């Protein structure tokens, strides 16, 4: 027997974000129609008919609460996340990481969602986004969104606001940079200190760097991907393979970057650009790459000034449909100019399974509240959920790229904390804040 309910919500996509969004709305007493195209049609990456299928890995990364990824998981647990219940139920030994049996994980999600009296699962493909005037709609169709639904979303967001490939450069923690080696200067700008940090290389350092790069291991393409690289955004290892001087005439060009104190012109320069307004994290300009994470850390730490660099995000290039969130979304994940239409999961502009589920959680809470005539409520900024939302809505639209959760997305700590204690302190503060927010929701 169906439970009595008020309000109605449509969710498109039965992945982690769609399942989490449906669960969060149904918990509030909202009736949910969840649409999943499998098994009527499978994407090139999917094989199982279950909801919540993990494709690329069984690892959901760190489970330690003093790491940003682990903190996000703990916040989700405290908010009653179904995805975290499934992950904890299907967990397999993996040290401090949270790894799961993928089939057991998907089976748990499918069984729990289909058994909920307020959730109706429709196994068919949606070609067009329903009108949100008839009730809130969440689109959580995943990073491989294509076909008529992708075309409709592109029409709604604007052609320039929907991307189909990530080209992501690594991000490093500002406090881990060696400012005795690095200097601040913008190319050709003699009027001030400049907006870029510069890591200078001499000829020998450059030659060692490109030799390491040429021999490095890369991540193979998935079967559903094609090597779709754009000339203006090539992987650095692809540029390197075109000749030993290619990088010196590309992203590592030294022209216009003489040292402001000595006047010396380096042989090559790696430039870093601030990734946020607080200047707590920096992007390696032009360093989008398919190198494995281990190789990125090993090779990029040979760059002068980056010997002790802490990587908040590694570079990547892969197939991923996502919107330019700062232009398209409000802080509740609602589309600007389209009240009642929400985006969740990787489509909203985050990277990673747990981040996708977390955005499904936020979208489900707020779309459910809207269906019940309640005001939207946002997680506090100094939480992992709040940090991700801040990235989606406050990043520079011209340079926006999806991101995993990391402490660089959080507001600066209000007090000086020793480096070894910062993760713990952030976690303590965040969990107090998320508990308070949870009480407001209930």
């Amino acid at each position: 027997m169906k439970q009595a309910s008020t309000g109605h919500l449509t969710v498109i996509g039965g992945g982690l974000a769609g399942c989490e969004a449906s669960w969060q709305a149904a918990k509030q007493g909202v009736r949910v129609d969840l649409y999943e195209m499998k098994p009527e049609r499978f994407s090139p990456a999917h094989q199982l008919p279950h909801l919540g299928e993990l494709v690329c890995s069984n690892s959901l990364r760190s489970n330690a609460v003093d790491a940003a990824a682990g903190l996000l998981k703990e916040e989700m647990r405290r908010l009653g996340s179904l995805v975290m219940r499934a992950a904890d139920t299907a967990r397999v030994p993996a040290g401090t990481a949270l790894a799961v049996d993928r089939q057991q994980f998907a089976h748990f999600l499918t069984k729990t969602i289909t058994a909920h009296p307020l959730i109706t699962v429709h196994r068919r493909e949606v070609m067009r986004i329903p009108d949100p005037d008839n009730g809130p709609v969440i689109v959580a169709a995943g990073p491989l969104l294509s076909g008529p639904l992708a075309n409709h979303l592109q029409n709604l967001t604007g052609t320039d606001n929907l991307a189909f490939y990530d080209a992501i450069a690594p991000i490093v923690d500002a406090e881990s940079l060696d400012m005795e080696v690095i200097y601040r200067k913008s190319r050709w700008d003699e009027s001030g200190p400049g907006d870029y940090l510069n890591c200078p290389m001499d000829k020998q350092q450059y030659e060692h760097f490109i030799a390491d790069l040429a021999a490095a291991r890369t991540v193979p393409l998935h079967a559903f991907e094609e090597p779709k690289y754009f000339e203006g955004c090539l992987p650095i290892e692809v540029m390197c393979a075109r000749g030993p001087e290619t990088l010196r005439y590309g992203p590592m060009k030294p022209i216009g970057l003489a040292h402001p104190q000595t006047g010396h012109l380096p042989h090559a320069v790696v430039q870093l650009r601030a990734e946020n307004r607080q200047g707590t994290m920096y992007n390696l300009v032009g360093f989008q790459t398919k190198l494995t994470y281990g190789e990125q850390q090993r090779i990029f730490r040979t760059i002068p000034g980056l010997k002790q660099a802490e990587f908040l995000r590694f570079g990547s290039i892969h197939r991923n449909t996502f919107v330019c969130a700062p232009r398209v979304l409000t802080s509740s994940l609602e589309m600007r100019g389209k009240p009642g239409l929400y985006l969740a999961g990787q489509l909203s502009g985050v990277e990673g399974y747990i981040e996708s589920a977390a955005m499904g959680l936020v979208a489900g809470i707020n779309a459910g509240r809207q269906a019940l005539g309640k005001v939207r409520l946002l997680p506090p900024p100094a939480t992992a959920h709040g940090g991700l939302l801040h990235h989606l809505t406050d990043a520079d639209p011209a340079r926006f790229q999806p991101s995993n959760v990391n402490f660089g997305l959080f507001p600066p700590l209000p007090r000086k904390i020793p480096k070894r204690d910062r993760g713990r302190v952030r976690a303590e503060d965040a969990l107090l804040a998320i508990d308070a927010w949870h009480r407001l929701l209930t």
Side-chain angles (χ1 to χ4, degrees), residues 411-425:
L413 285 166
R415 55 202 184 280
K416 190 72 174 177
I417 303 292
K419 186 176 181 179
R420 67 179 181 277
D421 296 328
R422 287 175 197 159
R424 175 183 57 79
V425 171

Side-chain angles (χ1 to χ4, degrees), residues 22-44:
S22 299
W23 184 258
Q24 293 297 328
K27 282 202 311 180
Q28 300 176 64
V30 175
R31 181 168 49 86
V32 179
D33 283 304
L34 171 60
Y35 289 85
E36 167 55 50
M37 69 180 186
K38 298 188 301 182
E40 179 182 278
R41 187 170 81 82
F42 286 83
S43 81

Side-chain angles (χ1 to χ4, degrees), residues 167-171 283-289 296 313-316 401:
I168 296 175
I171 291 175
N283 180 300
L284 277 66
V285 178
F287 270 55
Q288 54 278 350
T289 178
Q296 289 184 51
R313 182 187 76 188
F314 288 103
S316 69
Q401 287 291 346

